[in-house]
């Protein structure tokens, strides 16, 4: 045997190791292990922080002590129990870790949270669960079993929705890419801005149309009141109840996904190798799949998975609205609330368990996305983190380019004024950093800025979407300014917030806006207010020979409507020395019928209601036709006062139009007795915006909600984008441990459910709405935008003018501030604008969980109160009006963002 020289052996060994390490399987295994460790560490750290927050007031300690008390109580029932209770309690507390130091105790709690080991729930009435075992159905209170019993329902909802997104979206995107410019292609582009609307908002609209209006689908829940008997019946029932929530999810995602996929497919369709494949005679199906669809698949999977990551954050609001029995609605049910007759303290074991479960779902989604990269394209799955992110950014940049080309223009233009400003400024700083004075440079910058503004206005006039967006946004901004000036919060907004049902209301409850009558053949009645102290009613006072006196008040009014009023009331104000007056009431119809109402004698101000004072049974007994339409039992009984307006000879509910009289006659028993009356016939339309269940005018909160929405939306988008921009620039420029730290923090933000954590903080620690919004905004700083900005900076970092600036001695901060950030500003300004709608809807999403500031009227508070107090079956305008304004405001900024893609970045034209 010939031995190899010793000097060659190490080289051969290193070559073998290199070949081994280059094995695709080992590289994938190494990458998978690394990702598992990174994601696991992120989840562990995040759950530890959540545990510390949750135990701030000893909530988790109380759960452990409750379990110890239950264990001691069980032991005390045993006949042979002879231990000292307090000693045994201390032993159990020491064993459970209650007496451990802070760090050790919370690490134990973190392990419990990760394994959902919190034992039985405290609320045995609301959270008990029946499970099937070998011994039959058994009732359990185990929090872990309760959590995992709801998880499949959420997975059914989300899985069905995203399966449909893939099955519908991918073929549709392929079709649109092959039929560019057709009507369906243009329609998809027009509907793309609708993807800025959250799924729960679309769900409300679908329920109002298809459940309440057409009564085609059920309003809520997963199954009906009667459980299905067979598995097939269960599948059909669940599928029937899935239609509306799944449609809401699909509509909130599909237009943006399809159009971005279609644009990305168009990029690959224009490649030379595709034309070559077609020229060689390959089948069109093979070309589409191998050379167009397959290269675009990584991006399509990325966008679909990232939308799923976002869905886990908002599924709670969707499930809560549809009463879907998943972990989202369970989360709301377990939070502290005032939904009942008293304050509900909440169930911390369920709340914390769901937050951890959301973290698991997000982590699994991110991990599966990484694995999917390798399956569809190994180059994306096993490359280094930096290369992978650059590739993903390149894909995003291509998508934006194709999207803007299609939506706005396909014609190339010279550099716009903003790009000339950046180029001239950078070039002047590089070529002559010391020869020009500060004043001269400022003048040049100002001149370039004026030119950029002039060119910008010129471009705006050429882009229809930008014109519409800027016009809408301008109107909304001017309107918000006028609201703050002409309708100051103090006292108008404050009075609306603090108003209640005291006094004598003269405004109808749940009334529609008056402009509804513009679109109706027969007008709905408005509210009539008549008072004996005002002109109009006939008032007559008479005295007889015995000294007794009477006062007659005749309220007459014309009622030409075909709809019944929403309510009626009389507000009586008596005055006397010893004995209160006796008042009789008579109702006279236009056809001459006189109906004697119940008399009344009151010694104080009183409200005379018609629910108990109309001779309902006697009137109904005298009219056989009315018995066919009058409902006397159940929840939705016919109001008694309907019979005062109804035609007694009609077998349907029909109003007798004409002049009605309400005659009041008061009999006095002393000389100084008197009474006044105010008669109110509440209509069905009121004001320009209608009213809520407290009879408050909705116009005030609708107007005042606009400044709050703009403030939250603009502030959140600007803060998030600017801080993300700075962090991305620092990350790309410095690299090393700083870059890795920022990237790990970004991945942690994708894994942790910040909306659920914000709800947890508000519910248990009474943190204000504004602080919760601030926390969510700061958490969004480390989001996908930071990754996109960083990738753009990595490319700009290699530009020649950066190297030139380094040669002239520019500092790192100078390079970042003056060259890198201004260079990509034209590309990111549209993204900043299009982020505004997400923060506008954020306030409304938080309001769904009753997270609001009671001092201020906002659109979110209107929607919350409308959903809670039955606007679906009362006045739909109560919930439709704020939603419409939110959609309009969000749409304005989305259109501006689309327009700015062309105006500020000529490369995207």
């Amino acid at each position: 045997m010939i031995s190899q020289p010793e000097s060659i052996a190490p080289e051969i060994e290193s070559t073998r190791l290199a070949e081994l390490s280059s094995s695709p399987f080992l590289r994938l295994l190494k990458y998978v292990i690394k990702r598992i460790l990174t994601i696991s560490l992120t989840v562990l750290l995040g759950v530890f922080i959540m545990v510390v927050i949750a135990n701030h007031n000893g909530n988790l300690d109380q759960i452990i002590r409750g379990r110890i008390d239950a264990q001691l109580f069980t032991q005390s029932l045993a006949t042979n129990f002879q231990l000292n209770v307090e000693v045994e309690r201390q032993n159990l507390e020491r064993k459970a870790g209650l007496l451990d130091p802070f760090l050790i105790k919370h690490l134990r709690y973190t392990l419990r949270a990760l394994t959902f080991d919190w034992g039985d729930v405290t609320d045995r009435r609301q959270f008990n669960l029946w499970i099937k075992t070998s011994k039959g159905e058994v009732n359990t209170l185990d929090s872990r079993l309760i959590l995992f019993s709801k998880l499949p329902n959420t997975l059914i909802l989300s899985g069905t929705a995203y399966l449909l997104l893939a099955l519908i979206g991918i073929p549709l995107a392929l079709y649109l890419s092959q039929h560019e410019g057709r009507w369906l292609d243009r329609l998809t582009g027009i509907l793309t801005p609708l993807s800025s609307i959250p799924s729960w908002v679309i769900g409300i609209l679908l329920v109002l149309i298809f459940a309440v209006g057409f009564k085609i689908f059920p309003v809520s829940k997963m199954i009906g009141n009667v459980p299905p008997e067979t598995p097939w019946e269960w599948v059909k029932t669940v599928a029937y109840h899935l239609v509306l929530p799944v449609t809401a999810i699909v509509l909130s995602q599909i237009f943006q996904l399809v159009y971005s996929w279609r644009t990305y497919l168009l990029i690959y369709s224009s490649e030379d190798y595709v034309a070559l494949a077609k020229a060689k005679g390959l089948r069109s199906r093979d070309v589409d799949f191998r050379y167009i669809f397959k290269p675009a698949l990584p991006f399509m999977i990325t966008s679909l998975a990232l939308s799923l990551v976002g869905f886990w954050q908002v599924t709670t609001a969707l499930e809560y609205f549809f009463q879907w029995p998943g972990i989202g609605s369970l989360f709301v049910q377990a939070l502290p609330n005032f939904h009942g007759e008293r304050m509900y303290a909440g169930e911390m074991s369920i709340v914390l368990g769901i937050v951890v479960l959301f973290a698991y779902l997000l982590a699994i989604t991110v991990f599966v996305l990484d694995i999917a990269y390798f399956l569809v394209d190994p180059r994306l799955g096993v490359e280094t983190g930096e290369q992978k992110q650059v590739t993903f950014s390149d894909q995003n940049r291509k998508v934006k380019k194709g999207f803007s080309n299609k939506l706005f223009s396909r014609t190339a233009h010279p550099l716009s004024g903003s790009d000339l400003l950046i180029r001239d400024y950078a070039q002047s700083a590089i070529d002559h950093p010391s020869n020009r004075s500060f004043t001269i440079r400022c003048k040049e910058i100002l001149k370039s800025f004026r030119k950029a503004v002039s060119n910008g206005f010129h471009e705006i006039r050429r882009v229809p979407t930008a014109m519409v967006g800027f016009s809408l946004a301008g109107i909304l901004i001017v309107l918000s300014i006028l609201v703050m000036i002409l309708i100051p919060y103090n006292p108008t907004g404050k009075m609306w917030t603090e108003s209640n049902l005291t006094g004598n209301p003269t405004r109808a409850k749940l009334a529609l806006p008056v402009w509804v009558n513009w679109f109706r053949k027969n007008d709905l009645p408005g509210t009539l207010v008549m008072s004996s102290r005002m002109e109009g009613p006939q008032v007559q006072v008479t005295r007889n020979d015995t000294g007794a006196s009477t006062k007659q008040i005749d309220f007459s009014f014309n009622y030409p409507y075909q709809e019944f009023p929403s309510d009626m009331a009389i507000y009586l104000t008596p005055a006397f020395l010893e004995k209160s007056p006796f008042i009789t009431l008579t109702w006279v119809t236009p056809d001459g019928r006189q109906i004697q109402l119940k008399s009344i004698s009151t010694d104080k101000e009183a409200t005379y209601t018609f629910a108990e004072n109309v001779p309902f049974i006697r009137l109904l007994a005298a009219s056989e036709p009315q018995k066919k339409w009058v409902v006397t039992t159940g929840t939705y009984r016919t109001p008694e006062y309907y019979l005062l307006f109804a035609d007694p000879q009609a077998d349907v509910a029909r109003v007798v139009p004409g002049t009605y009289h309400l005659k009041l006659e008061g009999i006095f028993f002393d000389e100084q007795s008197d009474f006044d009356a105010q008669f109110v016939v509440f209509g069905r339309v009121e004001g320009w915006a209608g009213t809520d269940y407290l009879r408050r005018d909705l116009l005030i909160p609708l107007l005042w909600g606009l400044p709050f929405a703009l403030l939250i939306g603009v502030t959140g988008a600007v803060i998030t984008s600017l801080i993300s921009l700075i962090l991305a620039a620092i990350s790309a420029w410095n690299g090393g441990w700083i870059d890795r730290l920022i990237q790990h923090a970004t991945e942690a933000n994708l894994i942790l459910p910040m909306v659920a954590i914000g709800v947890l903080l508000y519910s248990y620690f009474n943190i204000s709405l504004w602080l919760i919004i601030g926390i969510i905004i700061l958490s969004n700083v480390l989001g996908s935008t930071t990754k996109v900005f960083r990738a753009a900076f990595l490319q700009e970092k290699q530009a020649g003018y950066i190297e030139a600036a380094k040669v002239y001695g520019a500092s790192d901060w100078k390079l970042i501030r003056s060259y890198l950030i201004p260079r990509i500003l034209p590309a990111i300004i549209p993204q900043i604008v299009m982020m505004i709608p997400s923060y506008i809807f954020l306030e409304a999403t938080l309001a769904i969980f009753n997270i609001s500031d009671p001092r201020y009227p906002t659109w979110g508070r209107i929607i919350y109160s409308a959903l809670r107090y039955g606007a679906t079956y009362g006045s739909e305008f109560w919930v439709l009006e704020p939603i419409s304004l939110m959609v309009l405001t969000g749409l304005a900024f989305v259109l501006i963002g689309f327009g700015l893609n062309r105006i500020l970045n000529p490369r995207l034209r």
Side-chain angles (χ1 to χ4, degrees):
M1 177 180 294
I2 301 175
S3 62
Q4 296 177 344
E6 295 183 1
S7 59
I8 301 178
E11 295 181 2
I12 297 176
E13 185 67 23
S14 61
T15 303
R16 291 175 179 174
L17 291 176
E19 293 177 353
L20 187 63
S21 62
S22 63
S23 171
F25 175 77
L26 292 179
R27 284 189 294 145
L28 175 63
L29 182 62
K30 179 182 177 181
Y31 177 75
V32 168
I33 295 175
K34 180 181 177 182
R35 293 299 296 156
I36 290 176
L37 293 177
T38 303
I39 293 175
S40 300
L41 182 61
T42 303
V43 172
L44 177 64
L45 181 60
V47 173
F48 177 78
I49 295 174
M50 286 187 285
V51 165
V52 173
I53 294 173
N55 198 40
H56 177 68
N57 293 328
N59 293 315
L60 301 182
D61 293 341
Q62 187 176 357
I63 293 176
I64 302 300
R65 289 193 174 94
R67 295 176 61 181
I68 292 175
D69 291 339
Q71 183 176 350
L72 289 174
F73 177 76
T74 303
Q75 291 178 357
S76 65
L77 297 178
T79 56
N80 58 350
F81 181 75
Q82 299 179 355
L83 298 176
N84 187 299
V85 175
E86 293 301 323
V87 174
E88 183 65 14
R89 183 188 301 277
Q90 291 183 1
N91 293 333
L92 292 176
E93 288 181 353
R94 185 179 296 104
K95 185 178 180 181
L98 288 174
L99 305 180
D100 290 342
F102 176 87
L103 181 60
I104 297 177
K105 179 173 70 173
H106 286 85
L107 284 175
R108 283 193 177 190
Y109 287 172
T110 302
L111 181 60
R112 285 179 179 269
L114 291 171
T115 57
F116 307 100
D117 183 21
W118 294 111
D120 292 346
V121 295
T122 304
D123 188 349
R124 299 172 178 269
R125 179 182 59 86
Q126 191 169 359
F127 293 103
N128 59 350
L129 175 70
W130 290 92
I131 59 175
K132 293 183 178 180
T133 64
S134 57
K135 300 180 180 179
E137 289 193 350
V138 179
N139 183 261
T140 181
L141 300 171
D142 189 280
S143 59
R144 181 189 299 167
L145 293 177
I146 294 173
L147 285 174
F148 285 98
S149 69
K150 301 295 184 179
L151 179 60
N153 299 335
T154 297
L155 296 179
I156 289 174
L157 176 62
S158 59
T160 304
Y162 277 83
L163 180 61
L164 285 177
L165 278 173
L167 294 179
I168 297 174
I170 293 176
L172 182 58
L174 283 170
Y175 176 82
L176 295 180
S177 66
Q178 301 300 319
H179 299 80
E180 182 186 5
R182 301 285 182 86
W183 69 270
L184 185 58
D185 186 34
R186 295 195 300 269
L187 178 63
T188 306
I190 294 172
L191 295 177
T192 300
L194 296 180
S195 296
S196 63
I197 305 175
S199 57
W200 64 266
V201 174
I202 297 178
I204 293 176
L205 301 178
L206 293 177
V207 165
L208 292 176
I209 296 173
F210 296 102
V212 178
F214 295 108
K215 296 180 174 57
I216 300 176
F217 298 105
V219 175
S220 60
K221 298 182 179 180
M222 184 175 175
I223 57 176
N225 296 327
V226 180
E229 296 181 356
T230 63
W232 175 241
E233 289 292 331
W234 185 89
V235 171
K236 291 195 300 183
T237 303
V238 172
Y240 182 56
H241 286 75
L242 271 172
V243 172
L244 291 185
V246 167
T247 304
I249 299 172
V250 171
L251 290 179
S252 68
Q253 301 282 346
I254 192 167
F255 297 115
Q256 185 175 9
L257 289 175
V258 166
Y259 211 79
S260 62
W261 292 347
R262 162 261 184 205
T263 307
Y264 204 72
L265 290 168
L266 276 176
I267 295 174
Y268 282 99
S269 299
S270 61
E271 295 289 347
D272 294 337
Y273 60 81
V274 174
L276 178 61
K278 292 180 179 179
K280 291 178 64 176
L282 293 180
R283 290 189 306 174
S284 177
R285 181 181 302 176
D286 294 337
V287 174
D288 291 344
F289 179 77
R290 294 180 182 179
Y291 303 111
I292 299 177
F293 173 70
K294 192 174 181 180
L297 191 57
F299 170 77
M300 300 171 74
I301 292 176
T302 301
S303 55
L304 186 64
L306 290 180
S307 67
L308 180 59
V309 171
F311 172 75
W312 294 130
Q313 300 279 8
V314 299
T315 181
T316 306
L318 180 74
E319 289 189 359
Y320 171 72
F321 172 72
F322 281 102
Q323 298 181 28
W324 188 263
I327 58 176
S329 57
L330 181 66
F331 182 71
V332 179
Q333 184 183 1
L335 290 171
N337 57 69
F338 292 93
H339 294 167
E341 299 179 355
R342 58 185 178 85
M343 171 65 184
Y344 177 65
E347 185 64 47
M348 175 56 78
S349 61
I350 297 293
V351 171
L352 184 59
I354 291 177
V355 173
V356 174
L357 198 54
F358 274 129
Y360 279 144
L361 290 174
L362 291 168
I364 292 172
T365 304
V366 172
F367 178 73
V368 170
L369 174 61
D370 288 336
I371 300 302
Y373 278 140
F374 176 79
L375 295 178
V376 298
D377 191 341
R379 294 172 300 174
L380 295 178
V382 297
E383 292 290 339
T384 61
E386 181 174 306
Q387 292 172 330
K388 178 179 176 180
Q389 290 154 4
V390 171
T391 304
F392 178 65
S393 173
D394 290 341
Q395 294 172 346
N396 282 338
R397 292 165 68 92
K398 291 179 182 179
V399 169
K400 293 173 186 174
K401 179 176 180 180
F403 182 83
S404 299
N405 278 337
K406 177 59 192 168
L407 189 58
F408 300 110
S409 174
R410 302 179 66 90
T411 305
H413 295 274
L415 287 176
S416 67
S418 58
D419 272 0
L420 287 173
L421 168 62
I422 296 171
R423 188 193 65 184
D424 294 343
Y425 177 67
Q427 190 65 35
S428 64
I430 294 170
D431 295 339
H432 307 283
S434 60
N435 295 333
R436 295 187 180 184
S437 65
F438 177 76
T439 304
I440 294 176
R441 283 184 289 174
C442 287
K443 289 181 179 180
E444 292 177 351
I445 293 173
L446 182 60
K447 182 180 179 179
S448 299
F449 177 75
R450 290 175 179 174
K451 186 177 180 180
V453 172
S454 176
N455 290 340
F457 280 115
H458 177 71
E459 291 292 341
I460 289 174
R461 291 193 297 268
R462 297 180 58 181
V463 181
T465 51
M467 284 290 295
V468 175
F470 276 108
S471 300
L472 286 176
I475 293 173
L476 295 174
I477 292 173
V478 171
L479 181 59
S480 64
I481 295 174
L482 293 176
V483 167
M484 291 186 289
I485 296 175
L486 302 178
I487 312 176
Y489 172 75
N490 195 4
T492 306
K494 188 176 181 180
M495 289 177 59
W496 189 93
T497 304
E498 298 176 353
S499 62
N500 49 45
L501 292 177
T502 60
N504 299 329
T506 59
R507 192 179 287 126
K509 180 189 298 185
L510 296 175
L512 305 180
V514 293
W515 49 263
V516 170
N517 284 333
W518 300 350
F519 308 96
R520 290 179 57 90
K521 180 179 179 181
N522 299 314
D523 289 351
L524 294 174
T527 299
L528 300 173
V529 181
M530 296 163 281
S531 175
S532 59
R533 298 178 182 178
M534 300 169 58
E535 295 183 0
Q538 298 180 5
V539 181
Q540 183 179 0
V541 179
T542 59
R543 294 182 180 275
N544 56 22
D545 298 337
T546 61
S549 61
T550 60
K551 182 178 182 179
Q552 296 178 347
I553 303 175
D554 185 0
F555 294 107
S556 63
F557 61 96
N558 182 38
Y559 196 85
Y561 308 104
Q562 297 185 7
E563 295 285 342
F564 294 95
S566 62
D567 200 357
M568 291 198 303
I570 305 173
Y571 305 120
L572 299 172
T573 306
F576 56 93
L577 291 178
E578 296 181 358
K579 190 174 182 181
S580 61
F582 182 76
I583 304 172
T584 60
L585 300 92
T586 304
W587 182 267
V588 182
T589 62
D591 54 5
R593 291 178 291 117
Q594 294 189 5
I595 301 174
Q596 196 69 35
L597 306 179
K598 187 177 180 180
S599 304
I600 184 175
S601 178
T602 178
D603 57 356
K604 58 182 179 180
E605 292 186 0
T607 299
Y608 184 92
T609 59
F610 287 78
E612 300 175 354
N613 297 309
V614 173
F616 183 76
I617 297 179
R618 178 168 58 84
L619 292 176
L620 191 60
S623 175
E624 288 296 328
Q626 287 182 339
K627 295 180 180 179
K628 298 180 180 180
W629 61 269
V630 173
V631 180
T632 58
T633 60
T635 305
Y636 302 102
R637 297 179 56 187
T638 303
E640 286 79 358
Y641 65 86
Y642 272 29
L643 298 185
L644 301 179
F645 292 87
D647 185 354
Q649 304 302 322
D651 55 2
V652 294
R654 181 187 301 165
V655 175
V656 179
T659 301
Y660 289 84
H661 296 266
L662 176 63
K663 297 182 178 181
L664 282 71
E665 183 176 2
I667 302 175
F668 306 132
F669 301 98
D670 53 55
E671 295 182 355
Q672 299 185 10
S673 293
D674 194 6
F675 82 95
D676 287 305
Q678 185 182 37
F679 178 42
V680 182
V681 181
F682 295 101
R684 296 190 177 274
V685 292
E686 193 85 46
W688 289 101
T691 59
D692 63 1
Y693 75 110
L694 292 177
R695 305 179 189 271
R696 297 178 296 185
D697 188 358
L698 288 174
L699 185 61
I700 299 298
L702 288 177
L703 292 176
W704 259 102
L706 179 58
F708 284 109
L710 293 177
L711 176 64
I712 295 172
V714 174
T715 303
V718 171
I719 291 177
T720 301
S721 300
L722 291 183
I723 300 179
S724 296
L725 188 66
I726 295 173
L727 288 178
I730 294 174
S731 176
W733 184 260
N734 291 279
W737 69 269
I738 296 179
D739 184 29
R740 290 193 297 272
L741 177 63
I742 294 176
Q743 295 310 304
H744 287 325
T746 303
E747 293 176 354
N749 178 67
L750 292 176
I751 293 174
L752 297 179
M754 294 309 301
V755 174
I757 293 174
V759 174
L760 174 66
L761 292 174
Y762 178 86
S763 301
Y764 283 96
F765 304 104
N766 199 25
I767 297 177
S768 68
L769 165 69
W770 312 110
L771 184 56
I772 294 295
I773 292 178
I775 293 173
I776 295 177
I777 289 175
L778 292 178
S779 69
N780 287 339
V781 166
L782 297 169
S784 58
T785 53
T786 303
K787 285 183 171 292
V788 174
F789 294 164
R790 171 185 174 275
F793 281 130
L794 285 174
Q795 293 181 348
E796 295 296 335
K797 180 181 176 181
Q798 308 301 325
Y801 67 89
I802 296 293
E803 297 298 328
K806 287 181 181 179
V807 172
Y808 281 107
S811 64
D812 289 349
W813 177 240
K814 173 72 173 178
L815 292 171
I816 293 173
R817 184 186 74 247
S818 301
Y819 302 132
L820 283 183
I821 293 179
R823 185 61 181 171
I824 70 168
L825 266 178
I828 68 168
I829 287 178
Q831 296 189 30
I832 296 175
V833 175
M834 285 188 284
M835 287 176 63
I836 294 177
S838 62
Y839 290 105
I840 291 176
F841 286 106
L842 173 63
E843 184 273 331
T845 302
L846 293 175
I848 292 294
F849 308 115
N850 198 19
I851 300 178
S852 60
D853 194 328
R855 298 173 297 173
Y856 304 108
T858 61
W859 292 340
R861 287 196 64 197
I862 303 176
I863 296 173
Y864 169 76
S865 58
L867 296 179
R868 180 178 177 184
Y869 296 106
T872 305
Y873 298 99
S875 171
E876 293 88 350
F877 290 89
W878 187 8
V879 68
L880 282 177
E881 287 173 333
I883 287 179
S884 301
L885 289 175
M886 282 195 302
V887 171
L888 182 64
T889 306
L891 182 62
F893 287 100
V894 170
L895 293 177
I896 291 175
F898 285 163
L900 289 178
N901 270 327
R902 176 188 176 192
I903 295 170
L904 294 180
N905 198 334
R907 292 172 299 178
L908 302 183
R909 295 173 184 171

